[in-house]
């Protein structure tokens, strides 16, 4: 089975940076896209960023110019570089994997907490 594991969350002051990583392993086959959602307290889950197997990227308006999604050197891994963080970025961040040939079977990570103080 496929496993998706996030890492890199933590506590950071406003204006600081964090780098989240997401690694997928197991029966992955071929990946169509990987990306990040976040869920802030009392708010709807929001799509933050996505990257396709071809390298195309898309971002939520609230993070454009501050966040960057890309591939790590490791196989089947992506990162989310978060700069100029503010309190509105406080949320649990979830990585997802969309596999080719498995429509409607998105695999989710367990989530990692990002807390921005001030």
């Amino acid at each position: 089975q496929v496993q998706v594991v996030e890492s890199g969350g933590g506590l950071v002051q406003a204006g600081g940076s964090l780098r989240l990583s997401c690694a997928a392993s197991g029966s992955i086959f071929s990946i169509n896209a990987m990306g990040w959602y976040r869920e802030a307290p009392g708010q709807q889950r929001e799509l933050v960023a996505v990257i396709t197997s071809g390298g195309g990227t898309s971002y939520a308006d609230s993070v454009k110019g501050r966040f960057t999604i890309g591939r790590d050197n490791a196989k089947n891994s992506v990162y989310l570089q978060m700069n100029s963080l503010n309190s509105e970025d406080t949320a649990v961040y979830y990585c997802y994997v969309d596999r080719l040939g498995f429509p409607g079977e998105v695999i989710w990570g367990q989530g990692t907490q990002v807390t921005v103080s001030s």
Side-chain angles (χ1 to χ4, degrees), residues 23-79:
S25 62
S27 302
I28 299 173
F29 297 96
S30 185
I31 293 177
N32 181 47
M34 296 181 67
W36 296 87
Y37 276 81
R38 68 184 181 185
E39 185 173 351
Q43 299 185 19
Q44 298 286 331
R45 183 170 293 193
E46 173 189 31
L47 179 62
V48 178
V50 60
I51 185 167
T52 68
S53 60
T57 60
S58 182
Y59 299 91
D61 289 339
S62 59
V63 307
K64 286 181 179 177
R66 300 188 297 118
F67 291 11
T68 302
I69 188 171
R71 290 180 172 84
D72 286 327
N73 292 328
K75 186 178 180 180
N76 295 322
S77 297
V78 296
Y79 65 83

Side-chain angles (χ1 to χ4, degrees), residues 85-99:
L85 288 163
N86 58 64
S87 61
E88 295 182 349
D89 297 316
T90 295
V92 178
Y93 285 71
Y94 298 91
C95 179
Y96 74 89
V97 178
D98 179 19
R99 296 177 295 163

